Amino acid sequence: MNPLDYAYTVTFVLLGAAVLLTLYRLVRGPSVMDRLVCLNAVSVLLVTFIAVEVALRGDHAYIGLVITFALLGFIGSLTAARFAERRAHDRG
Amino acid sequence: MTAGDIATAVLLPLGAAFAFTGTVGLVRFPTLLGRVHAATKPDTVALVLVLAGAAFQLPDPRVAAWLGLAALFQFLTAPVLAQTFGRVAYSRGEISTGHLITDELADAVERSREDDDGDGG
Amino acid sequence: MNTLLAVPVLVPLLGAAASLLMRRAPRLQQGVAVAALTAVVVDTVLLLRVTADGSVITSQAGAWEAPLGVTVVADPLSSLMLAVSAVVLLVVQLFAIGQDIAGLSRAMPQVFHPIYLVLTAGVCLCFLAGDLFNLFVGFEIMLTASYALITQAPTRARVRASMIYTVVSLTSSILFLTGIALIYGLTGTVNLADIAVKLGGAPEELRMVLALLFLVVFGIKAALVPMHFWLPDSYPVAITRISAIFAALLTKVAVYAIIRSQTLLFGRDDISAVLLCVAIATMLVGIFGALVQDDINRLMSFALVSHIGFMIFGLGLNSVAGLAAVVVYLVHHIVVQANLFLVNGLIRQYAGHSSLRAMRGLNTVSPVMSFYFFIPAMSLAGLPPLSGFVAKAALFQAGVGVGGWLVYTALAAGVATSLLTVMAVFRIWVRGFWGTPMPDMVEARERLKRGSHLAGLRFMAAMTGVMVAIGLVVAGAAGPLSEIAFIAGHDLMNGTAYIEAVLGEGAAR
Amino acid sequence: MLLPAILALHAAVAALLPLLADRFGARIFLLAGLPPAAAAVWALANASGILSGAPVTAGIAWAPALKIGLDFRVDGLSLAMTLLVSGVGAIIFGYCAAYFRADERGLGRLAAIMVLFAGSMLGVVTTDNLFALYVFWELTSITSFLLVGHEDHKEQARRAATQALVTTTGTGLLMLIGFIMLGTAAGDYSISGLVADPPEGGPWLTGALVLVLVGAFAKSAQVPLHFWLPAAMVAPTPVSAYLHAAAMVKGGVYLVARLAPGFAEAGVWQALVLSVGLATMIVGGWRALRQDDLKLLLAYGTVSQLGFLTLLGGAGTQVAATAMIGTLIAHGLFKSALFLSVGVIDHETGSRSISRLSGLGRRMPLLAAVATLAAASMAGLPPLIGFAAKEAALEAFVPGAAPSPPPVAAGAMLAGVALASVLTFAYSARFVWGAFAVKPTVAENRAGAPSPLFAAAPVVLAALSLVLGIAPALVDHLAQGYAHALPAGHKPYHLALWHGLTPTLLLTVLVVAAGVALFLKRRAVGRLQNAMPRWPDAEYGYHLFLHGVYTVALSVTRRSQSGSLPVYLGIILATILALPGVRLVAGLITGGIAVPGPEDGLRIWDSPLELLVATVIVVTSIATVREHRRFPSLILLNVVGFGTAGLFVLHGAPDLALTLVLVETLTTIILVFVLRRLPTTFSVRPDGWGKRLTVLLCTAAGSFIALALWLMTAARSGDPVSTGYADRAGEAGGTNLVNMILADFRALDTLGEVVVLVTAAVAVSSLVLLNRRDRVVDESSAEPAVPAPGNAGGTGEDPGPPGTGALALPVHTAGAEAVGGEPAERDPRRGPESDAADADAEAPEAPEAPEAPDESEGPAGGRRGDSEQGEDSDDER
Amino acid sequence: MNAPGLVLIFAVAVLYSTGFYLLLQRSLMRVVFGIVILGHAANLSLMLTDHAITLPPLLTGKDGPISDPLPQAMALTAIVITFGVTTFLLALAYRVWLGDDNDEVPADLEDRRIGRLSEPEDSS
Amino acid sequence: MSAPSDAGAEPGRPVRRQLLGRLVMAVWLTLMWVILWGDASPGTVVAGAGVAAGCYYAARLPHLPVRLRFRPLRIVLLIGHIAVDMLVSSVRVAFHALWRPAQMRGAIVAVPMRTDSDLLLVMVSAGLSLITGSLVIELNREEGVLYVHGTPVSSERSVRHLRRQVRRTEERFVRAFGTQRDIDEFEREEQELLRADEENSEEETR
Ligand code: NA
Ligand code: NA
């Protein structure tokens, strides 16, 4: 196992831990905004994962995914946040 | 083990470490705004570092351009989201004001409300 | 791709696209829609002529050979189903046009025609599909079009009904997809003929599991008891033309899928006992439901459920004669069910509703309409000399021929169901058609006679009459029909012809 | 091939009649009589040939593959039946022309149905194919249903028609099964073939015969299935005369007689036919003795006679067969004559009640004479044909006269026949007395004599009874044509008035004497009848059956059709568990399904990352379920999607992951738009067993699918077909196999996908954009101007703005929804539930439409007095 | 042998179970959620018919097993189809909201009416 | 409270400029799309335009007038500063996250901006929000005030530090991207602000 492999392993472990921690907050909440923040965090982590995969596999196929996922994650989170805001206004 | 590999071997774990600490903050910070900080910023750093690390594994200018584009995109979107989250969280009243040293926005809101009342009255 | 096989799917789709573009010119749109369906009718009749001798014609969409490309197949069964469906679709479409001309419908014609053609394409694709996933796609086309149709003129009741309909259909679609995953997991192919061959090498127990799973998947759409509940809650609420087509065709497509899968794919294994039990339950529960209904459309929907049971009974006999009987029953039931729902549409013109509690004397209000009702009602009840009798005679004959206590039980259930069907449909007759007419119905008749609707209404009635005539033709042509049915039954029991037509000589081993 | 043509003539004339009714009035019955007359003429013309042993045959193929063919074969028995059915039919049609008023409602339809009935009956007695027999048989059921229910504004007519239909079609279905069993056993559905070469005995044959006989008994009103016949007397009198005297009820007798040569030897046959026939004979006669309504008296008399005929037809000896044909003809003639006489009485006096008729003998001497003659034939008095037939019948059961039945049984039969004959004599006498005698306690009716045409039919029929009685050879000729097929007794027997001083003659004398005594003691008999408990009869059984069926139907439907979508879906899941699920578990237990071991590739994961992704999926999907707020659960759902996409990435499916995330995002955006309008939380139902059960059900179903997936993929042998794609990729010129499959190899699927998407888009737009709330309307599938049934009473007024006409529905603006509202919603049943939100579309609540009294028994109804129809009016003055 | 790892099988089981559970709820929105999850489950099932860790199905000349493209293509089609239909269902939910201010699937009225009957309406 | 600085049309703003701003954004999104797909066929372009329109509709992205200068050296400096800030502050927050998260406090401060340019305002706030520890919660365009949430902030001193950081960031952005007019404006405002500060401190000292 060369150092690069160690690096990958460490990376995956850290990212995996990050995902699990995010998951914890996602499920615990307590507020809607917490979840929303976590949603975004998960999507960024997913993109990060894919970026690591790109490096690991040396594969072009996933590069498109990096940008697209980033874009879509952004749009999704933003829409949801806007919704949350409107909701607040509705109630107010 | 080339220089590129070394760069990758440094950047990837570093990025992952940022992501990890960010999510630790996400879990442990007591305030919502604190968690917003922890969730949005270190992730961006992490992603950019990882993208840089990946670029060293695919020494192809086109690939590098793509990855650079992704990083740029992240730079553009992350603040927008962070700001939106912050604003929405504040507007929903979900931030815990007890942890704030000062809240000048609340003062401003208070002032503008008084103005409105004055106009109306 | 063979033109004969391509037309039933592609022409309606082209027609749909064209009629969607022409939605501002209603007459032109109607013309295009009718032309498209007429082309399908002509094509499918030709197809039936070609395959009537038991030959199987196949075609590869995209010209890639069998397990790789998508196979389209027409054998006697599918050609027969195609031809009958196409004719019924055309007549119902003309009925709908009459209704639009009369101004008696709030359905949106500009949307109705394109989606109706899509539905046609979906139905045809289901009958032609020689590929499990393509069958799924065909189902989805058909179902999506049906979702769009069932919400035409969306009232609260319709929205509620279409929710039930859509969710249940979606559930069956997801299960279908799951089934495809399981089959692909086991065989590594989705081509029907190829699956049939490869399942031969699979463990029997797993095949059985798949057979039962697919029975459930298609059984939901075919409204087999105990998965029938959704049907009487949704079909009757749709507008006439839609419920006519739904009742006539959609469940039959599912029955077709059950037949195809249980013979071609799982023909090696015998799940007759399950099929017979399901058939008994379906026949009885369905007709019991029909007996206590108050709304004609609901009554007919329960009767529909019940009579699907007869078809499953035939399939459960696991014999050539049984399958032949199912084929005859399918043809008969498609026509008769469409006919009855069209008549119900006419009834609503006079009564304003379809509730038997507030309906009397239709016989006096419109003798022609009562004739149009009586004939298919008799046929549905299996009374001679109509197609229902031929179908039932074929079925009972096949049942007696097979024997065994479970078959006898099913026969007894079939006899009971037939009697109860007589009671149910003649209950409509006695309560709705006999008696002193309700004053508002007489009034309605007078208004309809005077109003601007008359031409359209006459056209609607004429189309209903055409459907009655088709039913009589089915009865009269019982000879050739049963002959094709036996050929189809033989092909289904054997399967070699199908497999070799798709995969080449010797593929069936 | 003339016979099929005559049958077709019936159908053609029937189709024509409704069109001509307006022009010809009641005279269309003369036209309607042509086909039966033609059939009778045809039968007479062919009689000699047929009787000399050369049956006429014809055939039309219908569905040879199913062995259904319209085959005809007219032999002696068929000839006799044809003459009866068509000959008497033609006479009755003539009578109808005088009986019905020209302006009667639905005359054309009535005539048409009667012709159809005549044709069906002709078919029954001439066909040689079991299926065709069933076809014609059921056609007589349907047509008689329509005839009995002709006066459909009467509740009683509707009930009686339904009762007759249910009884005859229900038993007819059993008969069909019996036929199929016979046909399957014999390999042939030809009746003549079946009788000539009956299948081997055994339980199969027994079952088949029982089923066939049940059908025959019901049709011929045998005890205990006789109840429908008296009830069916609500039909117009000529219809009763035809259906219930001459034609339909003879169908069962005919069938028994037709099959007797082949099956009389079968034990079950003898036992059933003889016991049922005997019981029917006696019960019918006994009940006839106490009827007040002349028509009902005749109806019960018919029941009795039908029992008699069944007994004779089923006995299976030459003498019995001869007696059967004789009685058949005799009964057809005298019973029709009597019915028609009652019709005349009813027509002229407006009543058929014995307790209201008096002195008609003086006012209508000709009719009285005719009826007395016919009644005498019924009573079995010489020199009428009825006498000759009864002599033969008694002779048939003289112990030892024939090889079967065995002497003891024969003795019992003989006693029974004698008893029934006594009863028959008594009610015949009572009929004549009741109709024509002067009763001191009853005011005399003032009625004129009927017109000659009106009286002609009974006169002709009674005269025929006399003529054939004096010259019984004519009938005997017919009878021998049938009887010779049966095993001969000691000596040949012929119908005749005088056989010498035989024991049967002595018996006849005794019968007459007893009958006279019974008639004279009619008050005592009446008291006895009233004193006897009314045993639960089959009519009670019929009602019990109906009530039972509806109760079961209701309870099944109530339990199964809950109307709740979650319940429906739950049952679907339960079915998955019950069918494939159980099978899978059974396979695992029995070892039929192998569980992959470590050497077969059993493993926890292929990469630890799978564990990570699986954790995300599992945790978030469970959290989605547990979340009761809409928005948070949407967020969780989104993460489930991300997790799935991650797995796709891991598994080398980037395109899939891409599409999934794209779709996921779009769904989120759409969901957010919908979510905005809905309450914050889902309605939460309390935890409980229902919820636990749901959890259990869903978990089991999910586990089953996953387990099946695991086992199926593990069991695959060989490569998937898709390995072939790589080789052909070069040919197609691409590198991304998934894209190539979508765009080339399986482009048809992709086309379908696009179609689905476009269709869904159209559907969505027509739901969301085109039909705003204010346009919630129905197809006015109903015609718009018709007011709701509930408020029909009050809406005699203007249905819409003048000029536009109520139907110019698009022109309506404000009123359109209210007036052109939808039928489904206006349906009275939906009234209570309709809420204010849709009040614009759904008409205001319509009250329950009452089952209004539709028995509009106007004065017109009294003309034929059918309204007084009542069951068993026991009181007699 | 290409049976997938047990972890993923477990994930599929949970997806199906939770999807079914949501499907069995009264709120149409939860039903939609259920269908989305079931869609994931079905697509995942299709994916799992193939060896797990593989290269994408691209003919780029890399060594190593590429994944089976056919389930992917089918899942792709299915995703799009399910999306179309889900959208329709959402439009329906919107429609229900127009009528009821809620998205609950109400029980069928006629069924409920018949459910309340204790005696057959007519046994004539 | 003041309305969120949504993209809603503000009165008085020329329609033409609004459209231009939207157009630029749409072109940018379309370009992104085309790059994503890796080919520039008409179909892709059309699809991209559709997606851009969809994004607009879905997210109501703000439309921005384009009134910028680009000064490469300054830009590089800006990026460098931001990068360093990002890293340093991320480490700072990470430290807090691992060490004593419960005691981390924050503050929302109002910082009056010295530039009038909306675009620059947005850029500044984006730049601030990119850095861990500072987050623009509200942007009052009319008065030119940013409400910034900073963390960790534990004392008045760190509040002042936060203000200083915001102002420094503003200055860097203005000098990197502002037109000459923007810079002049900025400097004038800064002088005023400095004077005011001095007066304040004088008052305090007195
Ligand atoms: Na099978
Ligand atoms: Na794979």
Side-chain angles (χ1 to χ4, degrees), chain F residues 171-189:
Chain F
E171 184 175 356
R172 284 184 193 126
F173 268 97
V174 172
R175 293 197 188 285
F177 293 106
T179 57
Q180 193 54 49
R181 233 186 78 214
D182 291 332
I183 296 174
D184 293 346
E185 183 100 341
F186 170 81
E187 284 175 347
R188 205 175 56 242
E189 293 260 337

Side-chain angles (χ1 to χ4, degrees), chain C residues 303-380:
Chain C
L304 165 65
V305 170
S306 169
H307 286 239
I308 297 291
F310 279 110
M311 299 172 211
I312 300 305
F313 174 24
L315 179 62
L317 292 175
N318 204 12
S319 70
V320 173
L323 286 167
V326 180
V327 174
V328 176
Y329 214 108
L330 275 166
V331 173
H332 141 73
H333 203 252
I334 287 176
V335 174
V336 161
Q337 201 72 39
N339 197 348
L340 283 168
F341 272 91
L342 289 190
V343 180
N344 293 349
L346 288 182
I347 290 175
R348 287 180 143 216
Q349 307 302 334
Y350 292 100
H353 59 87
S354 52
S355 170
L356 282 176
R357 273 194 288 170
M359 195 181 288
R360 273 194 318 275
L362 286 168
N363 197 13
T364 312
V365 172
S366 172
V368 176
M369 185 171 78
S370 49
F371 176 74
Y372 289 167
F373 175 82
F374 196 80
I375 297 293
M378 256 176 84
S379 186
L380 186 75

Side-chain angles (χ1 to χ4, degrees), chain D residues 420-518:
Chain D
S421 300
V422 171
L423 293 172
T424 304
F425 185 93
Y427 71 68
S428 300
R430 187 160 170 273
F431 175 85
V432 174
W433 166 81
F436 298 104
V438 177
K439 286 158 227 162
T441 53
V442 182
E444 277 197 32
N445 301 72
R446 292 196 193 102
S451 67
L453 176 64
F454 201 13
V459 169
V460 169
L461 291 166
L464 275 173
S465 294
L466 185 60
V467 168
L468 293 178
I470 292 165
L474 292 173
V475 178
D476 187 56
H477 203 40
L478 270 178
Q480 298 307 327
Y482 165 63
H484 72 78
L486 289 153
H490 300 302
K491 55 178 193 255
Y493 183 87
H494 290 278
L495 289 175
L497 286 178
W498 183 250
H499 289 281
L501 280 171
T502 54
T504 41
L505 189 61
L506 181 64
L507 209 52
T508 301
V509 172
L510 286 174
V511 163
V512 170
V516 168
L518 205 56

Side-chain angles (χ1 to χ4, degrees), chain D residues 584-781:
Chain D
L584 186 77
V585 172
L588 284 172
I589 292 170
T590 59
I593 299 174
V595 179
E599 70 282 3
D600 305 318
L602 171 70
R603 58 198 184 282
I604 308 296
W605 59 56
D606 290 300
S607 145
L609 284 177
E610 285 182 355
L611 182 62
L612 179 69
V613 179
T615 311
V616 172
I617 291 175
V618 167
V619 170
T620 47
S621 60
I622 291 176
T624 312
V625 166
R626 296 172 60 92
E627 181 60 61
H628 288 294
R629 286 167 297 169
R630 284 170 204 269
F631 189 48
S633 58
L634 170 63
I635 294 170
L636 289 165
L637 182 77
N638 238 318
V639 180
V640 178
F642 282 135
T644 315
L647 201 61
F648 288 161
V649 171
L650 210 57
H651 279 208
D655 296 310
L656 204 48
L658 187 95
T659 313
L660 181 67
V661 173
L662 182 66
V663 161
E664 186 82 11
T665 308
L666 285 174
T667 311
T668 306
I669 291 171
I670 298 169
L671 267 167
V672 158
F673 272 88
V674 178
L675 225 53
R676 205 157 64 200
R677 325 220 173 228
L678 295 169
T680 319
T681 56
F682 302 114
S683 61
V684 185
R685 276 177 301 166
D687 294 5
W689 279 108
K691 189 165 178 176
R692 271 171 235 169
L693 197 69
T694 311
V695 170
L696 195 68
L697 182 68
C698 295
T699 312
S703 308
F704 156 68
I705 292 177
L707 185 61
L709 179 70
W710 187 55
L711 294 169
M712 300 264 173
T713 46
R716 185 201 286 177
S717 54
D719 286 332
V721 289
S722 49
T723 47
Y725 288 125
D727 307 335
R728 284 160 188 80
E731 242 178 281
T735 54
N736 185 333
L737 287 179
V738 175
N739 282 349
M740 285 169 60
I741 291 175
L742 290 175
D744 192 347
F745 295 118
R746 297 183 63 95
L748 192 57
D749 292 343
T750 312
L751 173 69
E753 169 193 323
V754 171
V755 171
V756 167
L757 217 50
V758 172
T759 311
V762 171
V764 168
S765 66
S766 68
L767 258 185
V768 176
L769 304 177
L770 300 177
N771 281 284
R772 295 282 182 199
R773 186 175 205 158
D774 54 343
R775 292 195 51 209
V776 175
V777 286
D778 189 16
E779 72 168 352
S780 55
S781 62

Side-chain angles (χ1 to χ4, degrees), chain F residues 10 13 17 63-65 67-68 115-125 139-144 146 182:
Chain F
E10 287 161 33
R13 186 185 273 272
R17 210 193 286 174
H63 43 80
L64 301 169
R67 202 154 47 90
L68 294 175
T115 176
D116 278 349
S117 161
D118 281 354
L119 183 58
L120 282 172
L121 219 59
V122 169
M123 287 170 88
V124 171
S125 69
L139 192 161
N140 188 336
R141 277 195 221 176
E142 283 161 48
E143 296 172 21
L146 288 187
D182 291 332

Side-chain angles (χ1 to χ4, degrees), chain B residues 37 41 66 83 99 101-102 104, chain F residues 35 106 108 110 129 149 163:
Chain B
H37 280 282
K41 320 306 178 58
W66 280 82
Q83 240 167 286
H99 284 82
I101 300 276
T102 162
E104 292 174 4
Chain F
I35 291 171
I108 299 175
S129 300
H149 176 257
R163 277 186 216 280

Side-chain angles (χ1 to χ4, degrees), chain D residues 159 546-547 550-551 554 558 561-566 568-570 573 600-607 610-611 614 617-618 621-622 624-625 627-628 630 633-634 637 640-641 644 647-648 650-656 659-660 663-664 666-667 670-671 674-675 677-679 682-683 685 691 694-695 697-699 701-703 705-706 709-710 713-714 716 720-722 725-726 729 734-738 741-742 746 749 753 756-757 760 763-764 767-768 771-773 776 829 833 837, chain E residues 1-34 36-37 40-41 43-60 66-95 97-124:
Chain D
R159 272 180 196 283
L546 273 194
H547 191 260
Y550 277 96
T551 307
L554 184 62
R558 273 170 65 197
Q561 197 74 17
S562 67
S564 155
L565 181 59
Y568 294 172
L569 294 170
L573 290 188
D600 305 318
L602 171 70
R603 58 198 184 282
I604 308 296
W605 59 56
D606 290 300
S607 145
E610 285 182 355
L611 182 62
I617 291 175
V618 167
S621 60
I622 291 176
T624 312
V625 166
E627 181 60 61
H628 288 294
R630 284 170 204 269
S633 58
L634 170 63
L637 182 77
V640 178
T644 315
L647 201 61
F648 288 161
L650 210 57
H651 279 208
D655 296 310
L656 204 48
T659 313
L660 181 67
V663 161
E664 186 82 11
L666 285 174
T667 311
I670 298 169
L671 267 167
V674 178
L675 225 53
R677 325 220 173 228
L678 295 169
F682 302 114
S683 61
R685 276 177 301 166
K691 189 165 178 176
T694 311
V695 170
L697 182 68
C698 295
T699 312
S703 308
I705 292 177
L709 179 70
W710 187 55
T713 46
R716 185 201 286 177
V721 289
S722 49
Y725 288 125
T735 54
N736 185 333
L737 287 179
V738 175
I741 291 175
L742 290 175
R746 297 183 63 95
D749 292 343
E753 169 193 323
V756 167
L757 217 50
V764 168
L767 258 185
V768 176
N771 281 284
R772 295 282 182 199
R773 186 175 205 158
V776 175
R829 68 183 161 84
E833 269 96 353
Chain E
M1 294 310 278
N2 55 319
L6 291 178
V7 165
L8 292 184
I9 288 297
F10 178 70
V12 168
V14 171
L15 274 182
Y16 271 109
S17 305
T18 51
F20 285 145
Y21 185 86
L22 288 172
L23 205 60
L24 262 57
Q25 302 303 306
R26 284 209 157 271
S27 160
L28 194 56
M29 195 59 65
R30 293 191 99 183
V31 172
V32 171
F33 288 179
V36 170
I37 288 188
H40 293 333
N43 292 324
L44 213 53
S45 303
L46 273 171
M47 286 302 303
L48 295 186
T49 59
D50 181 38
H51 293 280
I53 304 298
T54 40
L55 294 173
L58 300 172
L59 302 176
T60 48
I66 61 165
S67 47
D68 186 344
L70 188 51
Q72 292 190 21
M74 294 193 291
L76 254 169
T77 307
I79 288 177
V80 175
I81 288 177
T82 312
F83 167 68
V85 180
T86 308
T87 312
F88 171 80
L89 206 51
L90 284 172
L92 214 53
Y94 168 77
R95 201 74 216 193
W97 167 79
L98 282 186
D100 296 358
D101 285 326
N102 207 331
D103 67 334
E104 304 235 320
V105 188
D108 189 87
L109 296 180
E110 182 67 1
D111 286 338
R112 270 168 39 200
R113 191 186 72 79
I114 287 173
R116 283 194 297 266
L117 297 178
S118 54
E119 274 285 293
E121 288 192 310
D122 71 333
S123 36
S124 56

